[in-house]
Amino acid sequence: MGRFAWPSLLLPLTAHIFTAPPAVAAAELVWDSTQEPLADGKFDTAACPDYTSYAQYPHRPLSKGPLELPYQRPDPRCRTFSSDAIEKVIADITARMKDPDLARLFENAFPSTTDTTVKFHTDGEKEPRKKKKSGHRSRDGDEWYLDEGEWEGPQSFIITGDILAEWLRDSTNQLTPYQPLASKDPRIFSLILGAINTQSEYVIESPYCNAFQPPPISGLPVSNNGQDDAVHPMYEPSFVFECKYELDSVAHFLALANNFYEYTGSTKFMTRRWYKALAAVLDLLEAQSRGTFGDKTGSYQRNEYTFQRRTNTGTETLNLNGVGNPLNNGTGLIRSAFRPSDDATIFGFFIPANAMISVELKRTAAILRSTNDKKDALLAETVDRLAKRIREGIWEHGVVHHRTYGEVFAYEVDGYGSSLLMDDANYPSLLALPLMGFLEADDQTYRNTRRMLLEKAGNPYYLVGTDFKGIGGPHIGLQNAWPMSLLVQAQTSDDDDEIEQCLDLVLKASRLGLIHESVDVNWSISYTRSWFAWANGVFATTILDLAKRKPHLIFTDPTPYEI
């Protein structure tokens, strides 16, 4: 991923990166003289610099604050998507902000996804190549033959940043800051509707997978992740980029549509393909709710999903021949083989993802009821029952007693009594439970948990150094915390001092004018990923939250602002 151009120490593998480049370490910024604004006149998109390289260097004009943050947006002609509504929000917010450095960071971060990661979008007005009315998707020469309804309507392919692949989780979160604009701008409406449609196709084809290749109708090339994985169920590599089963991936698929409905009231996404994807999700949840041993016989029953990778990194594969550690029956919880960091779980009942899927199932059930269709009403009952069962399972098995903090949520459990107490920066997390709507921030069990997570004595991955502090995770190592965790901390706090401290740490660690994936806690100019659209989206969401909830912290005029 993008770095400054100086040789430095090497850090462990970063999220979504399969060959890790060096982290940044430098005494000063070096300007890239080859990345000047594009000349006026005749324009060829081939002149646009590769943003992975572009993001490694600071660009003028600088902000007027003490940090003199660079302007990192691509030339307007090189942006992957444009919206006047997005530009208006940028103008509205930055004009009122006290700190010009914070304003510049928002100016760069809020449009990061639309500026750089919308690699394919169609409004669906043209027919998607050849079609057939039944049968499986197949390829004949250069033409794709599609099932009825497949790849019809708007479609949007949103990459995570430095890899030409779409993660269900990342893309949903990348689009989150724009959801309130969907009812105001037809282009944003079409973009997000297209993203729901595209994710539906991915989930139908391979519901256990987390990252996908470009849509076959896009004409974009497919790529190889460079790994040698043995996965069941098998998948098509020309369709799937990586197939780590992460419960939060399907939860994010539901969340994308649920958020769209919340802000627009539109049910245009409820096509036969979306219903088929929902059915695939429900089948997956049923299969992954079973224990490792038969409830009645006690004999071993092989899980529907197994994963093995040739690797010397323990978090990149599952033990016991790809099955993972045993899980008990009757918990009401759903297994997740991997976490949202793409690391393997230790105990497969991953509580943050169970909390998220329970919330999103409940929201989906409400949408189904809103159609006043009898079939939808019956389906809503099924979805609601499942949501309730998972929620009850979390409170019964996911809450443990800590001798210092009292009743707290475990990060992972196995249903036999074993639990893992920690948190990871990636969303969903225990810290983010109120943000996903699982509970209120003043819930006593959450308050106990939050205190545990934000202390080194309580959370092994709460990292504190001379330059930076925050929650990290095993994916990056024991020296790097994620700015994303500080942004979630700010969003879940009502304490002005705490919020300001979080913002200050993130701001001072963002000298490139972008939010990094992770930062060395003892040397904040050493980081992983200069270009990480998801993290930039979380920063934008945090500023929009504070503009509404705590405007006095960021604005000269303390009048609340809401899109």
Side-chain angles (χ1 to χ4, degrees):
M1 183 48 190
R3 302 289 185 275
F4 284 122
W6 310 286
S8 177
L9 67 160
L10 292 175
L11 284 180
L13 194 70
T14 60
H16 308 339
I17 300 179
F18 297 89
T19 302
V24 173
E28 60 179 337
L29 301 181
V30 173
W31 296 93
D32 178 14
S33 60
T34 66
Q35 305 292 341
E36 295 297 325
L38 298 169
D40 293 328
K42 187 176 180 180
F43 179 74
D44 184 355
T45 54
C48 294
D50 175 62
Y51 195 77
T52 302
S53 299
Y54 189 86
Q56 295 180 38
Y57 302 95
H59 304 272
R60 293 182 173 91
L62 303 180
S63 63
K64 302 299 183 181
L67 296 179
E68 296 185 316
L69 296 187
Y71 179 77
Q72 298 294 73
R73 298 187 67 185
D75 183 281
R77 293 163 293 182
C78 295
R79 296 170 189 170
T80 57
F81 187 87
S82 62
S83 163
D84 290 341
I86 289 175
E87 301 303 322
K88 185 178 186 304
V89 171
I90 295 171
D92 289 346
I93 291 285
T94 57
R96 296 181 55 187
M97 295 185 82
K98 297 177 184 178
D99 187 336
D101 291 324
L102 197 67
R104 172 54 55 82
L105 195 52
F106 182 81
E107 182 182 15
N108 291 335
F110 180 64
S112 179
T113 288
T114 49
D115 277 0
T116 64
T117 69
V118 184
K119 289 301 181 181
F120 174 73
H121 172 66
T122 176
D123 58 15
E125 293 181 359
K126 293 182 179 180
E127 287 291 312
R129 297 199 178 186
K130 294 182 180 179
K131 296 185 298 180
K132 63 178 184 178
K133 290 188 176 181
S134 62
H136 297 290
R137 181 176 56 81
S138 61
R139 191 167 186 173
D140 180 13
D142 291 330
E143 297 290 344
W144 285 90
Y145 293 83
L146 308 176
D147 287 342
E148 186 175 1
E150 188 175 1
W151 299 114
E152 289 184 356
Q155 303 289 334
S156 304
F157 177 62
I158 315 294
I159 66 170
T160 188
D162 52 352
I163 300 172
L164 191 67
E166 175 174 329
W167 269 253
L168 297 181
R169 167 186 58 258
D170 292 39
S171 58
T172 293
N173 285 297
Q174 287 168 241
L175 292 169
T176 295
Y178 315 125
Q179 288 275 13
L181 296 173
S183 62
K184 305 174 187 297
D185 185 345
R187 286 179 55 77
I188 296 293
F189 183 99
S190 178
L191 177 69
I192 298 177
L193 177 58
I196 300 169
N197 292 341
T198 298
Q199 285 198 9
S200 294
E201 299 298 342
Y202 290 152
V203 172
I204 291 168
E205 177 76 11
S206 294
Y208 282 95
C209 298
N210 60 321
F212 295 86
Q213 304 281 10
I217 62 170
S218 70
L220 293 170
V222 300
S223 53
N224 189 295
N225 70 15
Q227 301 296 334
D228 182 14
D229 299 339
V231 182
H232 185 274
M234 295 181 65
Y235 61 87
E236 171 54 54
S238 67
F239 195 85
V240 171
F241 182 79
E242 184 180 61
C243 198
K244 289 181 173 178
Y245 160 54
E246 300 161 359
L247 177 58
D248 77 277
S249 289
V250 291
H252 275 97
F253 162 67
L254 296 179
L256 183 61
N258 291 339
N259 291 339
F260 180 74
Y261 176 81
E262 177 182 339
Y263 284 106
T264 67
S266 173
T267 56
K268 284 190 175 181
F269 64 88
M270 298 177 77
T271 64
R272 67 176 64 193
R273 303 298 290 175
W274 180 82
Y275 280 101
K276 190 170 183 178
L278 177 59
V281 170
L282 295 178
D283 287 345
L284 177 151
L285 298 179
E286 175 60 31
Q288 295 308 310
S289 66
R290 302 178 190 127
T292 305
F293 304 99
D295 193 20
K296 295 181 180 180
T297 65
S299 59
Y300 168 69
Q301 50 187 11
R302 184 177 176 85
N303 196 283
E304 176 70 16
Y305 175 86
T306 59
F307 181 100
Q308 289 179 286
R309 170 172 290 179
R310 295 181 183 271
T311 178
N312 60 3
T313 304
T315 55
E316 286 296 304
T317 192
L318 296 176
N319 63 352
L320 293 173
N321 295 318
V323 175
N325 290 322
L327 299 174
N328 207 352
N329 284 294
T331 64
L333 299 171
I334 310 296
R335 176 200 188 213
S336 185
F338 290 87
R339 303 167 182 167
S341 60
D342 296 340
D343 294 326
T345 55
I346 295 174
F347 303 121
F349 293 139
F350 175 53
I351 296 303
N354 272 270
M356 184 179 182
I357 194 70
S358 71
V359 169
E360 299 305 334
L361 286 169
K362 185 176 181 179
R363 296 175 73 198
T364 298
I367 296 174
L368 289 167
R369 289 194 187 92
S370 73
T371 67
N372 295 317
D373 180 272
K374 290 184 179 180
K375 290 183 179 179
D376 282 352
L378 290 174
L379 181 57
E381 289 182 13
T382 299
V383 173
D384 234 352
R385 281 196 301 270
L386 180 55
K388 183 181 179 182
R389 189 190 82 190
I390 297 169
R391 183 179 183 85
E392 290 174 348
I394 293 169
W395 284 103
E396 181 177 354
H397 299 278
V399 177
V400 300
H401 183 77
H402 193 288
R403 62 183 181 181
T404 301
Y405 303 101
E407 298 296 302
V408 298
F409 288 102
Y411 191 65
E412 296 170 0
V413 298
D414 64 359
Y416 289 105
S418 298
S419 61
L420 177 63
L421 297 182
M422 59 164 281
D423 205 15
D424 190 290
N426 283 264
Y427 182 93
S429 63
L430 292 178
L431 188 62
L433 287 174
L435 300 184
M436 66 182 76
F438 183 75
L439 44 63
E440 297 296 327
D442 61 358
D443 177 271
Q444 188 60 54
T445 305
Y446 173 74
R447 291 175 62 186
N448 295 345
T449 306
R450 191 177 193 275
R451 187 164 63 93
M452 176 183 73
L453 301 178
L454 297 177
E455 292 181 358
K456 185 61 181 174
N459 178 8
Y461 291 102
Y462 186 75
L463 308 177
V464 179
T466 56
D467 275 8
F468 195 74
K469 65 179 179 179
I471 299 174
H475 201 73
I476 297 299
L478 299 175
Q479 298 182 85
N480 280 40
W482 293 51
M484 190 184 301
S485 74
L486 287 167
L487 298 169
V488 170
Q489 183 181 345
Q491 290 183 58
T492 55
S493 175
D494 194 48
D495 184 284
D496 288 4
D497 291 339
E498 181 182 10
I499 294 169
E500 288 184 319
Q501 183 186 60
C502 290
L503 287 181
D504 186 61
L505 285 167
V506 171
L507 183 61
K508 289 179 178 177
S510 305
R511 295 297 300 277
L512 266 181
L514 296 166
I515 308 297
H516 303 306
E517 177 189 52
S518 73
V519 173
D520 189 317
V521 294
N522 292 308
W523 202 16
S524 61
I525 57 173
S526 177
Y527 63 83
T528 58
R529 283 186 147 164
S530 58
W531 178 32
F532 192 32
W534 177 15
N536 285 286
V538 176
F539 174 78
T541 300
T542 304
I543 295 299
L544 292 172
D545 167 61
L546 296 177
K548 177 183 177 181
R549 187 169 60 93
K550 298 272 188 179
H552 61 280
L553 295 183
I554 60 173
F555 289 158
T556 53
D557 173 9
T559 304
Y561 174 90
E562 185 174 3
I563 293 178

